[in-house]
Structures are given as C-alpha cells and as structure tokens.
Amino acid sequence: MRVVRLSARFPRVTRHAGAVVLAAVACLVDVSAQPASAAPPGIPSKATAQSQLNALTVATQGSTSGYSRDLFPHWITISGSCNTREQVLKRDGTSVVVDSSCAATSGRWYSPYDGATWTAASDVDIDHVVPLAEAWRSGANSWTTSRRQSFANDLSRPQLIAVTDNVNQSKGDQDPSTWQPPLSSYRCTYSKMWITVKYSWGLTLQSSEKSALQSMLNTCSS
C-alpha cells in the first residue's frame, strides 16, 4: 500500500502555511473515509463461482514463450474519443470530470485491493484481473489477435478494475497462488472475479491456483 508522507508531498512551510496544509490533509482523510467505487459487472454469487471453479480444467501452466502485450491490443476506442481505460475510470470513480479528449481531469477513485482513495487519475491503474501473460499461459496463446483484443478490453465481465498503481504493479502477472489483494476482506470478491473470467474465456488453471482460489472462495458468505 502506498504510504503518503507529508515531507514527500509538501515543502517546508511556515506555521500559518502549515495549518493550511494540515487542514487540507484533514479534508483528504475525510474524502477517503467515504469509499467511492462501482463494482465491475458480472461478479457471480459464491454458489455460481463454485460451480464455475469445479468446471475449470486443471492443467500444467504453459510457457510465456512468444508472449507480448502487443498481442493483446489495448486500450481501444470504446465510444467517441473514450478508450477502455477512460471508460473504467469513469465507471469506477465518483464525480469524475473529463476533458474534450475524455481524459479524467478530476474525480475520486477507491482502490478495493488496498483500501486507498486517490484524487488523481495518474495514481490509478486499470488492472486486468486475469493478467494478459497469465491468460497467455492458460490458453490465450492459441487465440486470434482479435479474440485477445476482446479479452484485454472486456467491459462485460469483471476483468477490468481501477486500483492503486503500485499495487497493480506489485501484482504483475501473478495468479492467486502467489498474489492476493493486500486488503484481505476483498479476497472473496477477487476470487469470484478471477474464476468467472477464466470460466467465461475458457482458460485453464493450475492446481496451486485452484487451491488458492478455493481457500479465498471459502471466505465468502454469499
């Protein structure tokens, strides 16, 4: 989780200016106390996710040989001048304002992975819940580029979500056997998203991945 240090964000100030800074920080804390997030679409119930997990094919993980992010074209134009990233920023944020090119100029984004709230779009990444490299190792290596593009820009399923940038970067292309959201209360939801994406796209999973997903799913109440 990103730790905000006043010394890193604010220059040395006078006593009066310091009071202004502290007031501003208090406002930011108040904002972050009111999480703003729109859940990605298509998150299944625990029962449905369990059925989907049971139906997934367990296989030895494939190789990343030949993999390139360029083989999963993103972000593509979705509507007008808005691309996939911008669409997710608008969907997952609160009070999002965009300019004429659809770039977010202000708003508030709550990252369910770590519980942080951000007010600058530059602090937010759009995570592929099932990473592109993981999809490649799980069967997407045999797909057409068109199908890989659809996967990388999937707005119909819970495959894309706005989260803290460095948390997303720490995840990389890991599956749930080696990486899970730092905020443990979100792991139930994360497992349901991961399972339904793999199920919907016909991807395989490895044994350790299935065990981790089952453990996470077991924490769900519904």
Side-chain angles (χ1 to χ4, degrees):
M1 183 185 300
R2 175 173 303 183
V3 177
V4 178
R5 305 181 189 278
L6 290 183
S7 59
R9 295 290 180 97
F10 299 103
R12 189 177 300 276
V13 292
T14 64
R15 181 172 299 182
H16 173 71
V20 173
V21 168
L22 290 175
V25 171
C27 289
L28 285 175
V29 171
D30 181 63
V31 165
S32 64
Q34 303 173 39
S37 110
I43 299 175
S45 65
K46 177 181 181 179
T48 297
Q50 184 66 67
S51 296
Q52 292 175 342
L53 180 60
N54 294 342
L56 284 169
T57 299
V58 176
T60 301
Q61 182 168 271
S63 167
T64 53
S65 177
Y67 168 73
S68 168
R69 288 178 66 85
D70 293 340
L71 295 173
F72 293 79
H74 65 288
W75 305 111
I76 62 171
T77 299
I78 299 297
S79 176
S81 59
C82 299
N83 66 25
T84 316
R85 170 183 163 82
E86 292 156 349
Q87 287 289 100
V88 177
L89 285 174
K90 289 195 294 180
R91 183 197 72 193
D92 289 4
T94 295
S95 303
V96 178
V97 176
V98 300
D99 61 21
S100 59
S101 64
C102 203
T105 58
S106 64
R108 191 167 81 252
W109 293 270
Y110 172 76
S111 168
Y113 283 5
D114 58 334
T117 296
W118 303 100
T119 56
S122 59
D123 287 323
V124 178
D125 277 358
I126 306 305
D127 180 41
H128 288 97
V129 172
V130 175
L132 304 182
E134 167 63 21
W136 178 270
R137 296 189 294 259
S138 305
N141 60 319
S142 65
W143 293 353
T144 63
T145 300
S146 176
R147 182 168 173 80
R148 287 192 288 262
Q149 174 176 291
S150 295
F151 176 81
N153 299 275
D154 188 358
L155 292 169
S156 300
R157 300 173 185 85
Q159 163 65 345
L160 300 172
I161 187 170
V163 298
T164 301
D165 54 2
N166 58 1
V167 173
N168 180 48
Q169 290 152 22
S170 73
K171 171 185 172 179
D173 64 354
Q174 298 178 81
D175 71 44
S177 67
T178 55
W179 189 93
Q180 296 175 15
L183 195 63
S184 60
S185 60
Y186 196 70
R187 292 175 185 173
C188 159
T189 301
Y190 185 77
S191 68
K192 293 191 291 186
M193 295 195 302
W194 183 285
I195 290 165
T196 201
V197 168
K198 281 218 160 179
Y199 177 83
S200 298
W201 287 92
L203 296 170
T204 63
L205 79 173
Q206 56 185 324
S207 179
S208 59
E209 176 188 349
K210 182 174 184 178
S211 294
L213 287 165
Q214 185 64 69
S215 295
M216 295 164 74
L217 193 60
N218 287 344
T219 68
C220 300
S221 59
S222 60

